[in-house]
Amino acid sequence: MRNFAFVFARGGSKGLPGKNIKHLQGKPLLQYSIDIALECPSISQVFVSTDDAKIAEVANHCGAIVINRPNELATDKSPEWLSWQHAIEWAQMYYGHFDYFVSLPATSPLRSVQDVEKALDTVSYRHADICIGVTPASRNPYFNMVELNEDGSPSLIMEPSSSVIRRQDAPNIYDITTVVYVAKPEFIMSQTGIFSGNLTSIEIPKPRAIDIDDIYDFWLAEAILKEGS
């Protein structure tokens, strides 16, 4: 079975400029995803899709194959799904057929090889179209998440079927992580989003589910890495 890993890393980041190659504990953020992909026994090839020359240089240095992403697929308004489709077409054209597409976003540097391998095992075992990573949410719409009404008064986003006094009594809610996405290439090419087909998931422990969007996320990831070193 041939499984290809992809890291999608565009040059423009408003939340944390240059984050994909910003050094985290001594190496570029992008390298964490590439290194994990290269360590996974189930992954045959590792690609980086980017519009940025500096990111491409780092990707090459770290052992990934660079896919030049068109500018129209690299804006902050471009759906990443379209970049997935472009990368699949490119990889199939130059490297042939593969069985599973694995997306490993650069913004999740704390994932493990086990997370990736488990996602691959799960999507295959459950005969699903796509597998995502989820982690227990810190906030719960049945307990401590509200929306503001026109008069400014807050209301719970979701009303529970019975009174919830403690967060632990509310239904379990999960955040979608950016740790790993595994899908059949044909599913991505024929659909428009992850909820378009038969979806399954694996649970990611909170320390490995960090998604770096701004400097505060970056500092948190740095602290976790320092604690584990």
Side-chain angles (χ1 to χ4, degrees):
M1 185 172 285
R2 300 179 81 212
N3 305 312
F4 288 179
F6 298 82
V7 184
F8 295 86
R10 64 186 183 88
S13 172
K14 292 182 178 178
L16 183 59
K19 71 178 177 183
N20 286 315
I21 54 175
K22 182 177 175 64
H23 277 236
L24 174 65
Q25 285 291 92
K27 66 181 184 179
L29 184 62
L30 175 68
Q31 186 176 345
Y32 286 86
S33 294
I34 295 172
D35 285 350
I36 286 292
L38 291 172
E39 291 176 30
C40 287
S42 297
I43 288 177
S44 307
Q45 299 283 358
V46 183
F47 302 86
V48 170
S49 168
T50 187
D51 63 314
D52 186 272
K54 291 182 179 178
I55 291 175
E57 183 179 354
V58 171
N60 272 321
H61 179 75
C62 294
I65 300 162
V66 173
I67 299 174
N68 293 314
R69 194 191 313 189
N71 291 333
E72 63 269 22
L73 297 182
T75 71
D76 56 359
K77 295 182 179 180
S78 304
E80 185 154 302
W81 194 266
L82 297 182
S83 296
W84 286 12
Q85 292 178 337
H86 173 265
I88 288 171
E89 287 182 339
W90 191 96
Q92 288 176 333
M93 181 181 299
Y94 293 101
Y95 290 86
H97 168 81
F98 60 100
D99 297 284
Y100 281 104
F101 163 97
V102 182
S103 174
L104 302 176
T107 54
S108 286
L110 306 183
R111 70 173 62 81
S112 68
V113 168
Q114 290 72 26
D115 294 330
V116 181
E117 292 291 328
K118 184 176 180 181
L120 279 161
D121 289 343
T122 300
V123 74
S124 176
Y125 175 76
R126 295 183 180 169
H127 303 288
D129 295 313
I130 186 168
C131 178
I132 64 174
V134 300
T135 198
S138 300
R139 298 282 179 177
N140 194 307
Y142 291 98
F143 181 71
N144 58 5
M145 292 184 69
V146 300
E147 58 184 348
L148 297 182
N149 302 314
E150 289 185 3
D151 63 359
S153 61
S155 299
L156 280 173
I157 293 177
M158 299 181 70
E159 288 288 342
S161 56
S162 59
S163 178
V164 175
I165 299 174
R166 303 180 309 154
R167 183 177 61 84
Q168 292 85 346
D169 298 326
N172 291 329
I173 298 293
Y174 296 85
D175 290 329
I176 296 176
T177 73
T178 57
V179 169
V180 60
Y181 302 85
V182 176
K184 297 176 181 177
E186 56 268 28
F187 168 72
I188 295 173
M189 297 307 297
S190 64
Q191 300 299 327
T192 58
I194 62 175
F195 293 102
S196 301
N198 178 18
L199 181 68
T200 190
S201 66
I202 61 167
E203 186 170 336
I204 308 293
K206 267 192 173 300
R208 298 205 300 272
I210 297 297
D211 178 22
I212 296 178
D213 185 53
D214 55 32
I215 192 61
Y216 304 105
D217 300 325
F218 190 89
W219 288 340
L220 178 56
E222 196 170 44
I224 293 172
L225 283 170
K226 285 180 179 177
E227 184 68 23
S229 61

